[in-house]
C-alpha cells in the first residue's frame, strides 16, 4: 500500500469511511468535525457543482458549433469531424485512467483539478482562433485530455469533504451541474452566434471556463479547511491489485454492461430528425424541434441526478442504477419505432435523460462508497476508462448495425445491453465496510 512521509497508513479504515474520507492518516481530525456538523451541502460541494456547470457550458457551447465551424469556416467534411471526436473521446478515457493515481494523493488532487479546468477552458476557446483542421484537432485533444485528468481529482475532492451518508447527494449535485451546463451551452451558442459569428462565440467560451476554474479553487480551499493533508506524498500507482481485492471489478461489471448500451446522444438526435423529416416536416423545423427535445433531455438528466442522489443515500446505488438502466430500455424501444409522433419522441428523450442522470450518479457514488480515500482516485480513473470506451464501442457498433440493417436493430441492440445491466445490477451494491488488504 502507499505511504505518507515514509510511514505506513494506520489501519483504522472504518473511521475514515464514517468521516467521508477513507484515508486513515487524516480520519482522526476530519471525522469528528464532519460528524458534528452534518452539513453536506457546504461551500466545497457547491463549488464542485458550479465548476461542472460552467465548464460544461463552455465546452458544450463549442461542441454545438464545431460541426458548422469545420464545414463552413474550415471547409472540411463529416469524416474529419468524426476523426477529431473519436480521437478526443479515446484520449478522454485514457487520461481519466492516468489522472487516477494523481488524485489518490491529497497534496496533488487540488492542483490537478484546478489545472485541468484551466487548461480545458484555454484550449477549448483557442479553437475559435484556429485556421487549419490540424489545429482544431490538437486543441480539442488537449482540452479532452485535460478534462479526463481532472475528473478523478474533482470526484475525490468532492468525496473528501462530504460525510459518507451524503455521498449520493453530493454526486447528484455534481452531475446535475454537468447536465445543466449541457442545456446552457447550446443556448448560449444559439444566442451569440447570430450576433457575433462562430469564431468570436467560440472564443467567448473562455469566460464560463475560467469561472469553472475559480469555482474548483474555492472548493479546494474549503477541502483544505476541513481535511488535514498528510505530510509527504504518496507513491503514484494504479493500485489494480488492491482495487481487485476490494471488489471494484464486481462493481464495474454492471457498469460495463450499461456503458456498452449507452449510445451517444447524437444517434438519438439523428434518429429523431430522420423520423420528423420522414413525417413531412422541413429540415429546419425538424432540427429546431430536436434541439429543444435534446435540451429537455439534459434538463431531465439534471433533475434525475438530484433525485437519484437522494435515493442512493436513503437506500443504495443499486436501486438508482437499476432504475436508470430500465428507463433506457424504455427510451430505446421508443426510438426503435418507425413513424413515431413528436410527443413520443420527446418522451424518449426525457426517458433517456432520466436514465443517464440516475445511472451516472449511482456509478460515481458506488465507487465512493466502496473504496477508501487512498484508492478512490484510481477507482474513479478506471471507472472513467470503462465509461469512455464503453460508450465509444456502443456508438460504433450501433452505427454499423444502423447502416447494415436498420435503426430499429441498432436501438434494440443497445436495449439488450441495458437489460443485461439490470440483471447484473446486484453487483453494484457496495459492502457496508471495506477492509483493504495491506
Amino acid at each position: 500500500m502507499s505511504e505518507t512521509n515514509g510511514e505506513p497508513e494506520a489501519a483504522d479504515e472504518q473511521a475514515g469511511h464514517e468521516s467521508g474520507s477513507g484515508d486513515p492518516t487524516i480520519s482522526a481530525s476530519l471525522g469528528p468535525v464532519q460528524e458534528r456538523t452534518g452539513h453536506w451541502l457546504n461551500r466545497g460541494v457547491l463549488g464542485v457543482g458550479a465548476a461542472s456547470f460552467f465548464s460544461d457550458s463552455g465546452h458544450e457551447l463549442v461542441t454545438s458549433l464545431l460541426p458548422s465551424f469545420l464545414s463552413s469556416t474550415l471547409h472540411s467534411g463529416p469524416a474529419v469531424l468524426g476523426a477529431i471526436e473519436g480521437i478526443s473521446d479515446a484520449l478522454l478515457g485514457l487520461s481519466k485512467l492516468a489522472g487516477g493515481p494523481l488524485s489518490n494523493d491529497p497534496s496533488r488532487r487540488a492542483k490537478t483539478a484546478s489545472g485541468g479546468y484551466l487548461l480545458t477552458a484555454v484550449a477549448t476557446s483557442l479553437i475559435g482562433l484556429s485556421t487549419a483542421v490540424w489545429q482544431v484537432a490538437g486543441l480539442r485533444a488537449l482540452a479532452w485530455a485535460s478534462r479526463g485528468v481532472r475528473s478523478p481529482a474533482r470526484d475525490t475532492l468532492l468525496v473528501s469533504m462530504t460525510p459518507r451518508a451524503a455521498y449520493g447527494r453530493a454526486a447528484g449535485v455534481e452531475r446535475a451541474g454537468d447536465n445543466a451546463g449541457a442545456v446552457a451551452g447550446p443556448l448560449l451558442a444559439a444566442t451569440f452566434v447570430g450576433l457575433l459569428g462562430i469564431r468570436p462565440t467560440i472564443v467567448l467560451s473562455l469566460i464560463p471556463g475560467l469561472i469553472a476554474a475559480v469555482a474548483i479553487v474555492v472548493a479546494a480551499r474549503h477541502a483544505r479547511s476541513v481535511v488535514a493533508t498528510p505530510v509527504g506524498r504518496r507513491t503514484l500507482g494504479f493500485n489494480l491489485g488492491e482495487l481487485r481485492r476490494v471488489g471494484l471489478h464486481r462493481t464495474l461489471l454492471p457498469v460495463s454492461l450499461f456503458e456498452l448500451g449507452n449510445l451517444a446522444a447524437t444517434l438519438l438526435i439523428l434518429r429523431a430528425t430522420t423520423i420528423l423529416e420522414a413525417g413531412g416536416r422541413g429540415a429546419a423545423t425538424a432540427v429546431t424541434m430536436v434541439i429543444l427535445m435534446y435540451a429537455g433531455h439534459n434538463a431531465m438528466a439534471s433533475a434525475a441526478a438530484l433525485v437519484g442522489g437522494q435515493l442512493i443515500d436513503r437506500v443504495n446505488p443499486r436501486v438508482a442504477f437499476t432504475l436508470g438502466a430500465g428507463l433506457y430500455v424504455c427510451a430505446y424501444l421508443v426510438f426503435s419505432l418507425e413513424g413515431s409522433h413528436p410527443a413520443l419522441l420527446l418522451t424518449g428523450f426525457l426517458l433517456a435523460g432520466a436514465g443517464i442522470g440516475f445511472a451516472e450518479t449511482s456509478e460515481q457514488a458506488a465507487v465512493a462508497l466502496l473504496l477508501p480515500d487512498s484508492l478512490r482516485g484510481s477507482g474513479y480513473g478506471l471507472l472513467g476508462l470503462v465509461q469512455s470506451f464503453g460508450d465509444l464501442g456502443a456508438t460504433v457498433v450501433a452505427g454499423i448495425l444502423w447502416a447494415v440493417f436498420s435503426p430499429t436493430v441498432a436501438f434494440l441492440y443497445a436495449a439488450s445491453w441495458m437489460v443485461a445491466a439490470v440483471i447484473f445490477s446486484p453487483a453494484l451494491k457496495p459492502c457496508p465496510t471495506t477492509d483493504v488488504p495491506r
Side-chain angles (χ1 to χ4, degrees):
M1 193 63 176
S2 54
E3 299 179 354
T4 56
N5 199 28
E7 295 296 327
E9 294 178 343
D12 189 9
E13 288 289 350
Q14 185 60 29
H17 283 310
E18 293 173 352
S19 69
S21 170
D23 188 348
T25 62
I26 61 176
S27 60
S29 61
L30 172 61
V33 174
Q34 286 190 333
E35 291 302 321
R36 282 199 304 269
T37 61
H39 297 312
W40 71 271
L41 191 59
N42 51 52
R43 185 169 65 253
V45 172
L46 291 174
V48 171
S52 291
F53 170 77
F54 285 106
S55 181
D56 212 67
S57 297
H59 66 70
E60 286 291 344
L61 180 156
V62 176
T63 297
S64 63
L65 295 177
L66 192 59
S68 296
F69 181 67
L70 287 171
S71 61
S72 63
T73 305
L74 299 183
H75 309 292
S76 60
V80 172
L81 175 61
I84 290 175
E85 293 298 88
I87 293 172
S88 298
D89 287 341
L91 283 175
L92 177 66
L94 292 173
S95 59
K96 283 183 178 181
L97 180 64
L102 291 171
S103 307
N104 287 334
D105 188 347
S107 66
R108 289 186 175 102
R109 65 177 59 138
K111 292 180 180 179
T112 302
S114 57
Y117 273 95
L118 180 60
L119 193 53
T120 300
V122 173
T124 300
S125 64
L126 286 178
I127 290 176
L129 303 180
S130 299
T131 57
V133 170
W134 68 267
Q135 295 171 343
V136 175
L139 290 168
R140 184 72 162 180
L142 178 58
W144 255 227
S146 302
R147 282 185 66 204
V149 169
R150 83 189 187 198
S151 293
R154 176 202 64 209
D155 294 340
T156 51
L157 190 68
L158 177 66
V159 174
S160 72
M161 53 190 171
T162 305
R164 180 179 173 84
Y167 283 177
R169 283 167 286 176
V173 169
E174 190 279 317
R175 287 290 84 202
D178 184 270
N179 286 298
V183 177
L187 294 179
L188 288 172
T191 300
F192 287 105
V193 74
L195 299 173
L196 304 175
I198 293 180
R199 283 188 182 276
T201 301
I202 292 177
V203 173
L204 282 178
S205 70
L206 179 64
I207 296 175
L210 291 180
I211 295 175
V214 171
I216 204 67
V217 169
V218 170
R221 288 181 176 176
H222 178 78
R224 284 197 296 269
S225 71
V226 297
V227 179
T229 302
V231 178
R233 289 190 171 187
R234 293 185 179 139
T235 302
L236 297 181
F238 292 108
N239 304 303
L240 297 180
E242 290 167 299
L243 292 173
R244 181 187 59 79
R245 288 191 289 272
V246 170
L248 183 62
H249 62 290
R250 291 190 295 271
T251 297
L252 291 182
L253 173 60
V255 172
S256 300
L257 297 172
F258 177 90
E259 299 302 338
L260 286 170
N262 186 12
L263 303 179
T266 50
L267 287 185
L268 308 186
I269 293 171
L270 177 61
R271 176 61 169 159
T273 303
T274 303
I275 290 175
L276 290 175
E277 290 179 350
R281 290 174 174 80
T285 301
V287 169
T288 301
M289 292 176 66
V290 173
I291 288 176
L292 293 175
M293 291 179 187
Y294 181 55
H297 166 280
N298 291 328
M300 179 61 75
S302 184
L306 295 174
V307 175
Q310 295 278 348
L311 185 60
I312 290 165
D313 289 336
R314 289 178 180 273
V315 191
N316 58 58
R318 175 195 170 186
V319 175
F321 178 84
T322 304
L323 180 58
L327 289 170
Y328 254 113
V329 173
C330 298
Y332 287 158
L333 290 177
V334 169
F335 285 106
S336 70
L337 300 174
E338 297 291 344
S340 298
H341 189 273
L344 190 58
L345 290 174
L346 174 61
T347 301
F349 273 105
L350 296 179
L351 288 171
I356 198 64
F358 281 118
E360 286 186 339
T361 305
S362 61
E363 291 172 1
Q364 188 171 325
V367 171
L369 289 166
L370 179 69
L371 301 178
D373 186 77
S374 56
L375 292 178
R376 281 199 191 106
S378 296
Y380 281 131
L382 197 56
L383 171 65
L385 183 71
V386 169
Q387 290 173 330
S388 296
F389 279 87
D391 296 354
L392 180 60
T395 302
V396 169
V397 174
I400 294 173
L401 292 175
W402 186 324
V404 174
F405 298 101
S406 70
T408 297
V409 172
F411 281 102
L412 291 179
Y413 162 81
S416 67
W417 283 111
M418 292 297 177
V419 171
V422 171
I423 294 173
F424 286 91
S425 63
L428 198 71
K429 184 177 180 180
C431 300
T433 60
T434 302
D435 296 321
V436 182
R438 299 292 174 183

